[in-house]
């Protein structure tokens, strides 16, 4: 059993223990190579620290040369769509492993992250047409299909990715109404439905005021 507890002189790389242990079990025992990989991930530990970390492992059973366990689709999707700063160090390491193993996933992640930046920065006018061109040239059927659908209604999409105004509040109220109607399920009439909708709307307004 490989321990994840920090060893003396190795505290700078302790947070990367899952990655080091995984790479060891995959058969990578070269401390120089592992140090270079950690540097790419932002680790500031020295090559000596990596060698110190590997010393106890060299006296154990040989590496298994196995592949890391594949994440669930929902888990990988979450890694792709969340802002990179919002991932934990372990999630970032797992994501890098996944993208290194599959160039198609790496290309998909690059397109998704670029599109997310366009949405976040409301930069549709300047950047969206170029993104669509690149996505339609990619060897990724789902990305190409998505880009083609955007092109079919390009003016509206650009406006939606440029204007600071949106229909989010209206759609939210419609969702509230549908949810309340499902819970009531015909057990009460319109007067109660109206009161419940107004109470939910008032609670939303109060929460926005207090923020």
């Amino acid at each position: 059993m490989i321990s994840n507890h920090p060893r003396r002189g190795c505290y700078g790389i302790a947070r990367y223990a899952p990655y080091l242990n995984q790479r060891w079990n995959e058969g990578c025992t070269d401390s120089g190579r592992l140090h270079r990989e950690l540097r790419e991930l932002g680790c500031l530990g020295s090559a000596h620290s990596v060698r110190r970390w590997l010393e106890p492992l060299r006296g154990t059973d040989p590496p298994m040369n196995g592949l890391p366990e594949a994440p669930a689709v929902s888990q990988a999707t979450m890694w792709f769509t969340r802002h990179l700063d919002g991932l934990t160090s372990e999630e970032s390491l797992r994501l890098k492993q996944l993208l290194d193993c599959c160039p198609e996933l790496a290309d998909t992640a690059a397109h998704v992250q670029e599109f997310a930046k366009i949405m976040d920065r409301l930069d549709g006018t300047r950047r969206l047409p170029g993104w669509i061109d690149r996505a339609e040239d990619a060897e990724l059927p789902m990305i190409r299909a998505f880009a083609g659908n955007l092109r079919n209604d390009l003016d509206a999409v650009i406006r939606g990715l440029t204007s600071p105004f949106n229909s989010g509040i209206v759609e939210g109220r419609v969702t509230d109404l549908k949810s309340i109607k499902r819970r009531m399920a015909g057990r009460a009439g319109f007067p109660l439905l109206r009161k419940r909708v107004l109470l939910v709307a008032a609670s939303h307004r109060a929460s926005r005021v207090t923020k």
Side-chain angles (χ1 to χ4, degrees), residues 166-185:
N166 60 71
S167 61
I169 294 179
V170 175
E171 293 173 2
R173 298 296 78 77
V174 171
T175 300
D176 291 337
L177 177 59
K178 291 179 178 179
S179 176
I180 293 171
K181 288 180 65 178
R182 282 196 297 270
R183 289 199 297 267
M184 292 175 61

Side-chain angles (χ1 to χ4, degrees), residues 76 79-82 84 95 99 102-118 127 130-132 134-135 138 140 143:
W79 293 343
F80 288 170
T81 55
R82 283 180 61 184
L84 295 180
L95 176 59
L99 300 185
C102 183
E104 289 81 5
L105 283 179
D107 290 343
T108 300
H111 285 293
V112 169
Q113 291 164 7
E114 184 181 357
F115 188 81
K117 290 179 181 179
I118 296 174
R127 298 180 59 183
W131 183 90
I132 292 177
R134 290 188 293 274
L140 302 167
I143 293 292

Side-chain angles (χ1 to χ4, degrees), residues 82-101:
R82 283 180 61 184
H83 195 286
L84 295 180
D85 292 341
L87 298 177
T88 65
S89 59
E90 183 173 355
E91 289 171 340
S92 297
L93 295 174
R94 292 288 306 279
L95 176 59
K96 183 181 184 303
Q97 288 178 319
L98 183 62
L99 300 185
D100 287 345
C101 292

Side-chain angles (χ1 to χ4, degrees), residues 6 12 16-17 24 28 35 37 41 43 50 72-73 85 103 111 126 129-130 136 147 149 153 166 168 196 210:
Y16 297 92
W24 173 268
C28 182
H35 178 249
E37 292 180 7
L41 294 171
C43 177
V50 176
V73 172
D85 292 341
H111 285 293
R126 187 172 63 91
E136 288 181 329
N149 289 332
D153 200 9
N166 60 71
R196 295 190 65 179
T210 56

